């Protein structure tokens, strides 16, 4: 808690624009904040935290959420190869 230099790898940091915690989270993948190539920030327009964990709903999910889920899935798949 409280440090951006996390001693870990293979980390995705999802957050949303209406998430009250996004100001304290990692919202971009700059090399200064995330020096490990296996770390990735995913900032989702129009959602709050945990929305990416709910079941997908093509009728109500914003495009930004669908794209974020795809980005996260691709990142996870690359780690599992």
């Amino acid at each position: 808690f409280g440090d951006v230099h996390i001693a870990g790898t293979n980390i995705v940091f999802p957050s949303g624009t209406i998430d009250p915690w996004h100001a304290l989270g990692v919202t971009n993948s700059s090399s200064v904040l995330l020096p490990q190539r296996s770390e990735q920030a995913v900032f989702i327009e129009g959602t709050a935290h945990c929305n990416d964990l709910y079941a997908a709903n093509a009728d109500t999910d914003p495009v930004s959420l669908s794209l974020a889920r795809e980005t996260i899935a691709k990142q996870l798949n690359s780690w599992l190869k």
Side-chain angles (χ1 to χ4, degrees), residues 9-68:
T9 60
N10 299 354
I11 304 168
V12 175
F13 297 93
S15 60
T17 57
I18 61 172
D19 183 348
W21 300 105
H22 82 270
L24 301 174
V26 178
T27 57
N28 69 65
S29 293
S30 74
S31 61
V32 173
L33 290 176
L34 302 176
Q36 302 277 351
R37 296 190 76 216
S38 64
E39 299 173 335
Q40 182 176 9
V42 179
F43 195 53
I44 312 165
E45 286 288 326
T47 65
H49 71 287
C50 296
N51 279 36
D52 57 301
L53 300 176
Y54 299 137
N57 185 331
D59 295 330
T60 60
D61 288 346
V63 172
S64 61
L65 181 55
S66 297
L67 292 174

